[in-house]
Amino acid sequence: MIRQPNVILGNDKILVTMGKKGELFGFFYPRRDYAQHVEESLVCLQTDNRLMWTNNQEWYSTQHYLEDTNMVITELVHGIGIKIKIQDFAHPRASVMVRKYTISAERDISGTFFYYSNFCVGEMQKKNSAFCDPDTGLLAQYWQDNYIGIMASPSFEQWQVGKAMDTIWWTNARYDMEDGKLHNNKEDIGYLNTVVGWDLKIKAGQSKEITVFIGAAPKRTQLHKMMLEIVKEPVNEMFETSRQDWINWLSKKELLKLSLLDDMPETKQQVLEAFNRCLLTLNLLNDPKHGSFVAAPEFDHDFEMCGGYGYCWNRDVSEVAVALLNAGYPEYCEKFFNWCRRTQLSDGSWFQRYWLDGNTAPSWGNFDHSTQIDETGATLHAMYTFYGTLRGLQKVEFLENIWTTVLTGAEYLMRRTTEGLHDPCLDLWESYAGSFAYTSAAVYAGLRAAAFLARAYSEPGLASRWLERAEFVKNKTIEKMWLKEGYFAKCLDDGKLNTTADASMIGTFTPFNMLSPTDPEEREMILSMMKTIEDRLSVSVNGYHGIKRYENDGYIEGNPWIVTTLWLSKAMLNLAISFRNGSVTNTDVPGLVQRALNYIKWALKGTTSTGMLPEQVDKHRGHPAWAIPLGWSCALMIDNILLLESFSEGTHDGKI
């Protein structure tokens, strides 16, 4: 089942995805990509002789992040006068999610408060086992070395370990709830559901607090010990410690003035909040042990409509790592590039995508013709970007560590570009085969990056050879793929040009700098590409315009994407900076900045209600669509905001 979250939360041990009403969609442990242990997990009230599931449409919900944290506040209101406030956060040190419920009512209510779960521990539902230990107040479900447990404060008063496939009311935990009393079955195996309950009696105007702890561990004894210790801790102290930890982490960020937006206080506040939210989101998508990033928390586990997103792509993460570097978090680059050293294939390339631990993931890129050459170029380009920020001994040590990686990666690019244009492969969208301007630009950037590193490593011969090939790639790409209409063709396949307009052509300028705005002819090419993208790929949504990937895109109805839109705004801002710095005079810099800002505003309008950036925006309704949140979108938003900040710091008059 496809379920797109409205919020995510976690710590360095767990990642949790949730819906708008506080229902759990995913609980990932021990990694962000595996395993996902939840089918359903939410509260249900039994009162007035009926069950009131909190994900039902009868409940009105509001949801937001606690400022500068990955802690979530959800408020539910029912028409009969019941309110539930949920404070959700990950424990500061343990693989435990804390769910503090405050239930209040406008009138006297009497019934049962249930916490129901349909776990799929280890993603192996049919072989799960579960038990309830009433002496310690622990309900646990497990498969092999994956244990998920529930404890509470106050401890639950009744329970049921049931069979999710059964239709008999006293064995299926969901049906057993209907009369407000559970059968207290202690254990079972295979296709399970579970529920714990508390008597709920509240006087009008009063409230009751119940805190549910959901923990994960590799062994039963570890789960027992951890949960027994956690439940003793004051919840308010956990909450405050977690809040302070997030605030401290975020305090390392690049400080922004954004004086350019002083005349637009509402927009300025939205941009500042987006910067923080993107940083906090990327923190949760990062695997702190291995240094890799998941593209998005997986939401299509059965590959119903796509190949899945719960993996690491080098191309996406190269932009993510550099964005974090520029935002004040260089440590992510260092760990990611160490991961790249370990995952590079023997031929010098990188695979289509990986599990976070570095094992190759499910793929349709197992052969030379179905690989994505741009991933190797993008990785080398990002490595050199990080190298340029280092100083002294750090610089020397980093180059020594990655030199073999750079050498083999560059030689791979050399073998795949003997004719100038790269060999046929898959494009970055994993939809078309052939040669592509974006891939050529990535190869160009990767070879130049390798050449500059070779010079630093005292290998001038290699540097000269790689630079020569980079220029050959550039010249052949322009010769073979630039159209007289003023843009790059989408694809060259078997000698035939596909003249479809594709937003990724802007990669020839940003991020790969194959075209330079300081060269008059290339500057005109950049401007012409921008015009083509705006004229042919623009979609009006939410009062502004977003950019779809390419003409006649059929993936998820051809919605506009955040990444493609923010690529265009980033290109406009980079061009404006080049103009401002004197390479061209009498150019409408404020106009370029305003157009870029409009695209940024469009992206901000497409977030979830909690500010998370999706992959796409529904072109009909303006809602966030498909992968939520997408790390690549977050990276591009950070890039754009930092470019806006450069106008605040530079010589520009601050007006747009």
Side-chain angles (χ1 to χ4, degrees):
M1 180 185 296
I2 295 172
R3 295 179 296 182
Q4 292 140 323
N6 196 57
V7 289
I8 65 173
L9 58 88
N11 57 20
D12 61 353
K13 300 176 176 65
I14 60 172
L15 174 64
V16 179
T17 63
M18 294 168 48
K20 294 180 179 179
K21 296 183 177 178
E23 68 273 46
L24 297 196
F25 286 169
F27 189 101
F28 295 87
Y29 168 87
R31 297 199 312 260
R32 274 87 165 106
D33 58 348
Y34 179 84
Q36 200 295 94
H37 303 289
V38 171
E39 291 291 328
E40 287 183 288
S41 190
L42 72 162
V43 157
C44 179
L45 301 185
Q46 196 278 348
T47 188
D48 296 339
N49 296 314
R50 68 185 182 113
L51 292 178
M52 300 167 57
W53 292 92
T54 49
N55 64 342
N56 189 284
Q57 63 183 3
E58 295 176 348
W59 292 89
Y60 172 78
S61 69
T62 58
Q63 191 175 63
H64 66 275
Y65 281 105
L66 189 65
E67 186 177 5
D68 294 344
T69 75
N70 279 318
M71 306 167 74
V72 180
I73 309 298
T74 307
E75 297 188 54
L76 303 173
V77 179
H78 197 279
I80 66 172
I82 300 176
K83 297 181 180 180
I84 302 177
K85 179 180 179 181
I86 316 170
Q87 295 176 317
D88 282 309
F89 61 98
H91 188 275
R93 297 175 302 281
S95 50
V96 175
M97 178 186 185
V98 183
R99 316 204 70 188
K100 181 181 177 182
Y101 292 87
T102 303
I103 311 102
S104 59
E106 295 175 358
R107 62 174 176 86
D108 293 357
I109 61 170
S110 178
T112 311
F113 181 93
F114 288 122
Y115 193 88
Y116 170 84
S117 296
N118 180 353
F119 289 136
C120 180
V121 179
E123 300 184 5
M124 185 59 74
Q125 196 173 40
K126 65 182 179 180
K127 293 188 177 181
N128 274 202
S129 300
F131 66 88
C132 180
D133 180 357
D135 294 334
T136 59
L138 173 68
L139 188 150
Q141 191 165 322
Y142 63 96
W143 178 75
Q144 292 196 2
D145 59 351
N146 293 275
Y147 283 77
I148 305 297
I150 290 178
M151 290 189 82
S153 177
S155 184
F156 51 81
E157 299 155 358
Q158 49 180 318
W159 65 89
Q160 175 69 348
V161 176
K163 299 285 284 185
M165 304 293 286
D166 281 3
T167 57
I168 305 171
W169 69 269
W170 63 82
T171 58
N172 187 317
R174 177 181 281 272
Y175 302 147
D176 193 22
M177 299 159 58
E178 291 179 355
D179 64 355
K181 300 295 181 184
L182 303 176
H183 274 75
N184 293 352
N185 182 47
K186 288 186 178 180
E187 55 187 345
D188 215 323
I189 63 173
Y191 291 106
L192 304 170
N193 58 8
T194 64
V195 61
V196 294
W198 297 256
D199 288 342
L200 186 65
K201 290 181 173 60
I202 302 177
K203 294 289 185 181
Q206 296 183 348
S207 63
K208 181 173 182 176
E209 291 184 354
I210 295 173
T211 302
V212 176
F213 304 93
I214 305 175
K219 295 181 180 180
R220 181 179 303 194
T221 53
Q222 286 181 242
L223 181 68
H224 253 110
K225 292 176 181 177
M226 177 181 71
M227 298 299 278
L228 287 170
E229 288 301 316
I230 294 297
V231 79
K232 295 176 187 175
E233 296 182 28
V235 174
N236 290 341
E237 288 185 13
M238 292 184 211
F239 183 90
E240 185 55 33
T241 300
S242 181
R243 188 183 75 87
Q244 197 57 54
D245 285 350
W246 285 118
I247 291 172
N248 290 343
W249 181 84
L250 196 58
S251 69
K252 299 188 297 180
K253 69 183 178 183
E254 189 78 13
L255 294 178
L256 304 179
K257 297 179 181 177
L258 291 178
S259 57
L260 183 73
L261 305 179
D262 282 347
D263 293 339
M264 297 173 277
E266 184 177 348
T267 298
K268 182 175 180 177
Q269 184 61 32
Q270 290 174 344
V271 170
L272 289 170
E273 290 174 358
F275 188 68
N276 291 350
R277 182 52 46 205
C278 287
L279 289 172
L280 288 162
T281 298
L282 292 179
N283 176 290
L284 290 180
L285 300 184
N286 171 252
D287 185 300
K289 178 180 179 181
H290 299 99
S292 48
F293 289 77
V294 68
E298 189 56 74
F299 62 96
D300 188 7
H301 300 273
D302 297 323
F303 302 157
E304 294 177 47
M305 295 181 65
C306 67
Y309 281 72
Y311 309 100
C312 182
W313 279 260
N314 278 58
R315 167 187 52 250
D316 308 26
V317 177
S318 290
E319 291 207 58
V320 167
V322 170
L324 284 168
L325 168 70
N326 293 333
Y329 298 86
E331 63 272 19
Y332 289 92
C333 269
E334 188 166 3
K335 291 192 74 171
F336 172 62
F337 295 136
N338 282 332
W339 181 88
C340 291
R341 288 172 52 213
R342 299 192 302 272
T343 56
Q344 188 178 32
L345 301 178
S346 59
D347 68 355
S349 70
W350 278 274
F351 200 59
Q352 178 206 357
R353 60 186 187 177
Y354 292 85
W355 293 105
L356 293 181
D357 65 358
N359 283 312
T360 53
S363 174
W364 47 86
N366 297 288
F367 304 99
D368 281 352
H369 68 274
S370 59
T371 192
Q372 294 165 55
I373 301 174
D374 66 275
E375 299 222 56
T376 300
T379 303
L380 297 182
H381 174 62
M383 284 181 172
Y384 178 66
T385 301
F386 176 55
Y387 173 79
T389 67
L390 300 176
R391 297 292 180 269
L393 189 58
Q394 274 188 317
K395 201 164 193 172
V396 174
E397 290 177 346
F398 178 72
L399 181 55
E400 187 65 37
N401 287 336
I402 65 162
W403 172 246
T404 301
T405 302
V406 171
L407 173 64
T408 53
E411 287 301 308
Y412 169 79
L413 296 179
M414 294 289 286
R415 292 193 300 274
R416 300 301 303 268
T417 56
T418 55
E419 302 298 320
L421 278 181
H422 64 82
D423 295 340
C425 68
L426 280 186
D427 67 346
L428 79 161
W429 308 129
E430 302 175 344
S431 302
Y432 286 77
S435 297
F436 310 93
Y438 178 91
T439 304
S440 287
V443 170
Y444 169 87
L447 285 170
R448 283 179 62 84
F452 297 143
L453 291 168
R455 283 178 180 169
Y457 201 74
S458 300
E459 289 285 356
L462 287 174
S464 176
R465 181 167 162 265
W466 293 339
L467 282 174
E468 182 179 349
R469 177 61 59 84
E471 290 303 311
F472 186 39
V473 168
K474 173 180 176 177
N475 292 335
K476 280 295 180 182
T477 302
I478 294 172
E479 175 190 334
K480 298 289 187 180
M481 299 192 69
W482 183 257
L483 303 172
K484 66 179 184 300
E485 291 84 359
Y487 66 97
F488 282 105
K490 177 176 178 58
C491 176
L492 177 62
D493 182 26
D494 198 23
K496 298 178 181 178
L497 280 176
N498 179 341
T499 59
T500 298
D502 188 318
S504 68
M505 71 172 107
I506 203 65
T508 56
F509 174 39
T510 182
F512 298 126
N513 302 308
M514 189 172 82
L515 299 180
S516 170
T518 61
D519 180 286
E521 186 175 341
E522 292 180 8
R523 179 172 62 251
E524 291 306 311
M525 293 171 71
I526 294 167
L527 289 167
S528 181
M529 280 193 297
M530 287 179 176
K531 185 177 187 306
T532 299
I533 290 170
E534 289 190 289
D535 288 348
R536 296 171 64 169
L537 301 178
S538 181
V539 180
S540 178
V541 186
N542 287 335
Y544 293 94
H545 289 82
I547 303 298
K548 60 184 180 180
R549 296 189 301 174
Y550 48 83
E551 293 174 298
N552 304 313
D553 183 3
Y555 180 58
I556 317 298
E557 300 188 3
N559 291 320
W561 280 41
I562 299 291
V563 166
T564 50
T565 305
L566 294 183
W567 268 343
L568 181 58
S569 57
K570 183 179 176 182
M572 289 175 172
L573 291 173
N574 275 320
L575 199 58
I577 289 170
S578 175
F579 292 162
R580 180 198 66 182
N581 291 341
S583 60
V584 179
T585 57
N586 299 321
T587 302
D588 184 16
V589 171
L592 270 176
V593 175
Q594 182 62 65
R595 286 161 63 197
L597 185 59
N598 286 341
Y599 287 119
I600 294 169
K601 288 180 178 179
W602 174 85
L604 294 176
K605 281 182 170 287
T607 65
T608 68
S609 65
T610 57
M612 290 200 309
L613 279 170
E615 177 186 73
Q616 307 172 30
V617 175
D618 187 295
K619 64 183 179 182
H620 302 296
R621 299 181 299 163
H623 296 168
W626 215 228
I628 305 171
L630 187 73
W632 204 2
S633 298
C634 294
L636 267 295
M637 180 59 76
I638 291 168
D639 287 346
N640 273 266
I641 293 172
L642 290 173
L643 287 172
L644 286 177
E645 177 66 11
S646 72
F647 282 91
S648 302
E649 298 173 347
T651 58
H652 195 263
D653 62 7
K655 303 292 183 182
I656 59 174

